[in-house]
Amino acid sequence: MQLRILLFAGIRELADADSVTIDVDDNANAADVLSAIERVLPQAAPLIHVSRLAIDGQYVAADHPVSPTADEFALIPPVSGG
Amino acid sequence: MIQIELVDSPIHLADWESSLHDVDTGAHAWFAGVTRRTTADGSGGVQITQTLHYEAHRPMAIDQLQQLAQQARRQHSLTGVVIVHRLGEVSLGQASVLVGCSSPHRIDVFAALPWIMDRLKADVPIWKRETFADDSTQWVHPDAQ
């Protein structure tokens, strides 16, 4: 399945894009999605390693199954608000 | 009462104080996080910041802040929680975040403020980009540096 992943902050800058489209297997989990993003954006690999995936606005664990019916996938690098 | 806002203009405490007004709460506490000019560079020197820029995944940040405030209210017996975070360019010395909370007794609000700030800085999808005195820029991603 094909997924569009929103990018933010340092990763968006390294990708020079607000989002990236990846291909993953139909039974993929969140860890597979992160690996696929890393293959598309090798220049951001160190930052992707410490990032989290959010599906429809909620952080998910690495083994969380990915459904193509979700409305939004976002790659969340370490945050620095405050 | 929970009030969560992401704002694009300066944050002034006086504009938010009345949000916690309640004659049955004896303790109101506020914390303002203010942009700072100097940052230790880890090798004994300091980096001089010129300005800071904040961006967020807005809908997710609002949702995370709501969850955080609800959890703080339950865990620390709070009556009210206000969290205001600024986005966009923030000049040095201005507030980037304001957190307020109220409770019948002071012990709960004293405990709640650091609890809220620690979680905000760990989980809420907001990022800052520093522009240094030499015009170089850097996104701040704590675990990656």
Side-chain angles (χ1 to χ4, degrees):
Chain A
M1 60 184 155
Q2 217 170 45
L3 304 176
R4 177 173 169 262
I5 313 291
L6 301 182
L7 306 175
F8 295 91
I11 296 181
R12 189 197 61 230
E13 195 167 284
L14 287 166
D16 196 21
D18 294 333
S19 67
V20 67
T21 300
I22 57 162
D23 274 306
V24 288
D25 291 341
D26 288 347
N27 59 352
N29 60 25
D32 298 323
V33 170
L34 293 175
S35 298
I37 300 169
E38 197 178 315
R39 282 195 294 277
V40 177
L41 299 174
Q43 70 274 34
L47 205 39
I48 294 169
H49 279 161
V50 290
S51 297
R52 290 179 277 182
L53 185 70
I55 301 178
D56 290 340
Q58 298 296 323
Y59 292 113
V60 296
D63 61 354
H64 185 89
V66 169
S67 162
T69 58
D71 288 328
E72 183 192 280
F73 296 88
L75 183 63
I76 307 294
V79 301
S80 53
Chain B
M1 187 284 299
I2 289 176
Q3 188 169 4
I4 304 296
E5 301 271 354
L6 298 177
V7 300
D8 299 292
S9 54
I11 299 170
H12 300 295
L13 174 59
D15 296 338
W16 299 93
E17 274 177 319
S18 63
S19 303
L20 293 181
H21 179 71
D22 177 352
V23 292
D24 293 321
T25 62
H28 293 188
W30 292 91
F31 168 80
V34 176
T35 51
R36 191 182 56 228
R37 187 165 63 99
T38 52
T39 304
D41 65 6
S43 55
V46 292
Q47 286 181 300
I48 305 297
T49 298
Q50 199 179 113
T51 185
L52 290 104
H53 173 92
Y54 287 84
E55 77 163 41
H57 180 327
R58 282 183 182 250
M60 185 175 167
I62 292 279
D63 193 49
Q64 291 282 319
L65 287 170
Q66 281 282 356
Q67 291 178 34
L68 174 53
Q70 285 166 9
Q71 207 181 341
R73 192 169 59 176
R74 282 196 303 274
Q75 196 152 326
H76 295 281
S77 306
L78 303 177
T79 312
V81 181
V82 176
I83 307 176
V84 186
H85 204 296
R86 188 160 166 201
L87 300 177
E89 294 296 323
V90 182
S91 301
L92 295 178
Q94 293 191 341
S96 54
V97 65
L98 180 70
V99 178
C101 53
S102 60
S103 177
H105 306 291
R106 70 182 182 278
I107 192 166
D108 294 313
V109 295
F110 284 162
L113 284 179
W115 189 93
I116 291 170
M117 281 306 300
D118 287 350
R119 277 149 190 83
L120 183 155
K121 290 170 97 60
D123 289 328
V124 179
I126 298 175
W127 301 271
K128 70 178 162 196
R129 186 189 64 210
E130 302 222 32
T131 299
F132 297 108
D134 62 0
D135 286 334
S136 63
T137 61
Q138 182 179 35
W139 285 101
V140 179
H141 293 299
D143 297 340
Q145 288 160 357

